[in-house]
């Protein structure tokens, strides 16, 4: 199989999904209204609620949701063959992820920017809300701890990515000032910012930063982990326009260019896919493709984390409700393109099937390293970019994706802590809430030793928990649609599929943890499973009641939407 076929067919399916299916969903299901006054205008505070240009907001949303997971998941899942991974990524993006992400953004926007967890209290009851918040907190904890480990390992393993990774923060701060304080032209700022980022990549490739084995008494990777958490904590309390938005926006442009380089190299070199279409000789110990494929590839097909971002930060920055289609659905398409690129890099980036099998010798192998290795080979053969620089570009792309997700993840987990405090009648300030989040995340990360390996301790449950969260978010959206008397089938199909697969996967993993005598993950799995079944039960009751009650009237747009400043 020529990789060009995968690239052209996959990209065409996703673009057509955005042009056709997303328009149908936006108009007929969610009925987006340009006249609806968004929370960014109604509750604007210059910190979290900030009306934002849709392209800038898309950059924030896309890079926040597209962390390392859309690379790691597909790069592992191709062990079952490239056909199942390809079909799940393309069809999942068009019919599952886009509907989910746009729906979460719309639902939050219609409820003053409240998170999906908060909305669950209104639509499925307080018990369901509390359990929903538990699942959200655990997913965010997994993301923040694991991504800190992934980023630190990349910084140590690819020292040429250190300068562009940290230099991007300085570029973002300057862009934030240029756009919001001095009102410079966005196009000019964008070009200058991208040029600056790629200059940093060239500089990093020329001057790699290699830390000594220990820094301040910590191993090199542990030192990077501490620095990452300190940075993410500071970033989470700054106004979104100052760092989070511009960092995500300029990273989004740079990352899309990097994807363009990868796809361009595929079109020029036309590498052959050496991996099997369906792998009938999987290594011993590889779990069954069903249901594990659908939870191994989460981000890139559909991910519950997207709903947290959409309802946690992105909904608070919508300038117009109709922007939600571009930000939410096209954000999912962007991540699908990244996942597709990961599939191509890890199946066509090797010379022979023997080389591929050497990497995929056991389930769980591959991941970011296989993506960087395979992708660098494709870029080198297609565009003639030296292998070292090719690896630097792709490693920097992976680091920046993961880092922007971690930035947003810490902020979102802070919101969950503050919300939990509100439920208990305690007011928790954002600084105190952030310190609580950092303490828990760093405690988990270093719980197994100074090397930070504890950050991956509960990661085996991420895929199932994340997909479960996506199903629960879709159930919330379905309840809202039913109460409004709207068509619900485009939401119900992915809802049922995800809940079945995620609960099935949790049960399968129970057996695996029991056999491995991993009692910690076994207990955590049981807790998540109980919470899931409970919330599903509450959601089913809410949907049944919604069908019986008269449809609610749509919210009337607030008067006088004229004169809103849309220049940001």
């Amino acid at each position: 199989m020529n990789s060009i076929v995968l690239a052209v067919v996959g990209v065409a399916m996703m673009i057509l999904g955005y042009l056709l299916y997303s328009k149908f969903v936006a108009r007929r299901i969610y009925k987006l209204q340009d006249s609806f006054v968004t929370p960014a205008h109604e509750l604007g505070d210059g910190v979290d609620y900030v009306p934002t240009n849709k392209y800038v907001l898309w950059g924030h949303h896309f890079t926040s949701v597209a962390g390392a997971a859309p690379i790691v998941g597909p790069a592992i899942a191709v062990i079952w063959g490239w056909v199942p991974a390809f079909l799940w990524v393309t069809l999942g993006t068009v019919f599952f992820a886009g509907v989910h992400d746009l729906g979460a953004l719309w639902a939050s926007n219609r409820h003053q920017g409240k998170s999906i967890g908060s909305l669950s209290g209104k639509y499925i009851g307080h018990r369901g809300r509390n359990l929903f918040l538990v699942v959200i907190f655990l997913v965010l904890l997994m993301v923040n701890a694991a991504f800190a480990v992934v980023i630190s390992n990349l910084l140590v393993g690819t020292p040429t990515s250190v300068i562009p990774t940290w230099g991007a923060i300085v570029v973002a701060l300057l862009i934030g000032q240029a756009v919001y304080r001095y009102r410079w032209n966005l196009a000019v700022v964008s070009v200058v910012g991208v040029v600056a980022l790629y200059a940093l990549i060239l500089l990093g490739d020329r001057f790699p930063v290699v830390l000594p084995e220990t820094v301040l008494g910590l191993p090199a990777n542990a030192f990077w982990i501490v620095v990452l958490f300190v940075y993410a904590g500071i970033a989470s309390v700054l106004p979104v326009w100052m760092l989070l938005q511009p960092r995500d926006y300029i990273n989004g442009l740079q990352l899309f260019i990097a994807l363009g380089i990868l796809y361009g190299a595929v079109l020029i070199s036309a590498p052959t896919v050496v991996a099997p279409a369906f792998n009938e000789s999987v290594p011993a110990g590889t779990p069954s493709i069903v249901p594990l494929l659908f939870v191994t590839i989460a981000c890139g097909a559909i991910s519950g984390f997207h709903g947290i971002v959409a309802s946690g930060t992105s909904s608070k920055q919508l300038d117009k409700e109709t922007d939600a289609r571009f930000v939410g659905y096209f954000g999912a398409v962007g991540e699908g393109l990244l996942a597709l690129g990961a599939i191509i890099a890890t199946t066509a980036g090797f010379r022979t099937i023997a080389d591929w099998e050497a990497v995929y010798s056991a389930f769980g192998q591959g991941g970011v390293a296989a993506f960087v290795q395979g992708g660098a080979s494709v870029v080198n053969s297609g565009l003639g970019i030296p292998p070292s620089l090719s690896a630097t570009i792709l490693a920097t792309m992976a680091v920046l994706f993961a880092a922007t997700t971690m930035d947003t993840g810490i902020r979102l987990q802070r919101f969950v802590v503050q919300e939990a405090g509100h439920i208990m009648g305690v007011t928790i300030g954002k600084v105190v809430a952030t310190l609580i989040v950092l303490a828990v995340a760093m405690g988990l990360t270093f719980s197994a030793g100074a090397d930070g390996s504890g950050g991956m301790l509960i990661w085996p449950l991420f895929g199932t928990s994340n997909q479960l969260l996506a199903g629960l978010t879709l159930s919330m959206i379905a309840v809202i649609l039913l109460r409004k008397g709207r068509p619900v089938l485009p939401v119900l199909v992915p809802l049922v599929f995800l809940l079945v697969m995620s609960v099935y996967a949790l049960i399968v993993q129970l057996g695996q943890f029991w056999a491995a005598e991993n009692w910690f993950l076994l207990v955590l799995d049981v807790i998540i499973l109980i919470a899931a079944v409970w919330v599903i039960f509450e959601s089913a009751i809410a949907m049944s009641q919604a069908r019986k009650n008269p449809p609610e009237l749509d919210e009337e747009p607030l008067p006088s939407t004229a004169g809103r400043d849309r220049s940001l």
Side-chain angles (χ1 to χ4, degrees):
M1 168 66 75
N2 192 303
S3 57
I4 290 180
V5 176
L6 291 185
V8 172
V9 173
V11 171
M13 288 176 64
M14 294 184 202
I15 296 301
L16 286 174
Y18 175 71
L19 295 176
L20 302 176
Y21 191 59
S22 76
K23 184 177 293 186
F24 163 77
V25 172
R27 290 182 177 179
R28 298 292 301 276
I29 309 300
Y30 299 129
K31 297 184 179 180
L32 304 183
Q33 297 180 25
D34 192 28
S35 58
F36 185 84
V37 175
T38 64
H41 289 281
E42 182 185 358
L43 305 173
D45 59 6
V47 178
D48 295 316
Y49 292 84
V50 179
T52 305
N53 176 286
K54 71 176 183 179
Y55 299 105
V56 175
L57 182 54
W58 174 85
H60 155 69
H61 182 81
F62 168 54
T63 53
S64 293
V65 300
I71 296 174
V72 174
I76 291 175
V78 293
I79 198 168
W80 288 298
W82 61 262
V83 168
F86 174 80
L87 291 176
W88 176 226
V89 164
T90 51
L91 296 177
T93 295
V94 173
F95 296 107
F96 285 42
V99 174
H100 168 275
D101 294 13
L102 174 55
L105 193 54
W106 164 76
S108 178
N109 179 69
R110 285 282 166 154
H111 294 84
Q112 297 186 314
K114 292 180 180 178
S115 70
I116 288 295
S118 296
L119 293 181
S120 62
K122 175 179 178 180
Y123 288 101
I124 64 173
H126 296 307
R127 287 174 303 189
R129 175 199 60 194
N130 295 342
L131 292 170
F132 210 122
L133 288 175
V134 168
V135 176
I136 291 174
F137 185 87
L138 287 174
V139 168
L140 288 172
L141 179 60
M142 294 176 197
V143 168
N144 293 331
F147 279 20
V149 176
V150 170
I151 296 169
S152 67
N153 289 340
L154 279 170
L155 292 175
V156 172
T158 314
T160 53
S161 66
V162 173
I163 288 178
T165 294
W166 296 106
I169 297 173
V170 178
V171 174
L173 287 168
L174 293 175
I175 288 175
Q177 296 297 317
V179 172
Y180 286 95
R181 188 178 295 277
Y182 298 108
R183 307 286 176 167
W184 288 6
N185 181 273
L186 181 60
V188 173
V189 173
S190 300
V191 172
V192 172
V194 169
V195 170
L197 280 182
Y198 273 92
L200 288 170
I201 289 175
L202 293 172
L203 187 65
D205 188 60
R206 180 70 177 83
F207 299 102
V209 177
V210 181
L211 295 182
E213 289 188 7
T214 60
V215 182
L216 300 177
L218 294 172
N221 64 324
F223 172 77
W224 282 130
I225 289 172
V226 173
V227 172
L228 283 164
F229 274 119
V230 171
Y231 156 73
I234 294 172
S236 73
V237 298
L238 291 176
V240 290
W241 65 266
M242 187 175 291
L243 178 58
L244 189 68
Q245 270 187 8
R247 174 173 162 78
D248 291 353
Y249 170 66
I250 201 65
N251 283 345
L253 293 179
Q254 186 272 139
L255 298 170
F256 238 66
I257 292 173
L259 280 177
I261 291 173
L262 177 60
Y263 280 106
V266 169
L267 294 176
I268 293 173
S269 63
T272 300
V273 176
V274 300
F278 297 93
N279 191 4
E280 298 178 357
S281 302
V282 295
T286 301
S288 171
I289 188 173
V290 178
L292 269 298
L293 170 70
F294 304 103
V295 298
T296 301
I297 301 180
C299 303
I302 182 172
S303 164
F305 181 71
H306 293 199
I308 308 175
V309 174
S311 65
T313 60
S314 300
S315 64
K316 297 176 175 63
Q317 301 169 57
L318 274 178
D319 180 36
K320 298 183 294 183
E321 186 175 69
T322 49
D323 291 347
R325 177 181 167 230
F326 180 77
V327 173
Y329 196 102
F330 195 64
V333 168
E335 187 172 62
L337 293 173
L338 175 59
L340 177 61
I343 291 172
I344 294 173
T346 53
T347 57
F350 298 88
R351 291 178 180 269
T352 65
I353 182 65
D355 293 338
W356 183 84
E357 289 176 340
V359 172
Y360 287 88
S361 58
F363 181 72
Q365 299 299 310
V368 175
F371 168 75
V372 172
Q373 177 187 344
S377 174
V378 172
V379 171
N380 173 247
S381 61
L383 302 178
I385 299 176
S388 173
L389 181 56
S390 299
T392 299
I393 292 173
L394 294 178
T396 301
M397 180 176 74
V399 169
L400 292 180
F401 266 130
T404 50
T405 299
M406 188 177 169
D407 290 356
T408 304
I410 295 293
R411 183 181 288 261
L412 291 170
Q413 200 169 14
R414 184 248 294 177
F415 289 158
V416 173
V417 170
Q418 289 180 293
E419 189 171 336
H422 177 73
I423 292 172
M424 295 183 291
V426 179
T427 301
I428 303 178
K430 63 181 181 180
V431 174
V432 174
T434 300
L435 291 175
I436 293 173
V437 168
L438 293 178
V440 173
M442 293 181 70
L444 173 64
T445 305
F446 292 110
S447 62
D451 61 352
S453 58
M456 306 303 293
L457 194 61
I458 61 176
W459 184 253
L461 282 169
F462 171 75
T464 46
S465 303
N466 192 37
Q467 298 302 68
L468 177 64
L469 182 58
L472 298 179
T473 299
L474 285 168
S475 70
M476 192 70 49
I477 296 169
V479 172
I480 297 173
L481 290 173
L482 286 170
R483 290 180 63 162
K484 292 180 176 295
R486 304 267 186 89
V488 76
L489 188 61
V491 173
L492 278 181
V493 172
L495 157 63
V496 173
F497 182 85
L498 282 176
L499 289 181
V500 169
M501 288 299 166
S502 56
V503 171
Y504 183 11
L506 280 171
I507 295 172
V508 169
Q509 287 184 309
L510 275 177
Q512 294 173 346
F513 298 147
W514 178 274
E517 297 185 351
N518 191 330
W519 309 124
F520 175 71
L521 287 182
L522 179 71
V523 171
L524 198 57
D525 193 319
V526 170
I527 292 173
I528 294 172
L529 184 59
I530 292 173
V533 173
W534 197 322
V535 175
I536 291 170
F537 179 72
E538 299 267 8
S539 299
I541 294 175
M543 282 188 242
S544 177
Q545 292 175 340
R547 282 185 174 276
K548 297 175 183 177
N549 296 329
E552 295 177 348
L553 295 176
D554 281 334
E555 298 89 339
E556 291 295 329
L558 294 176
S560 183
T561 61
R564 292 189 295 175
D565 182 5
R566 296 174 182 165
S567 62
L568 299 183

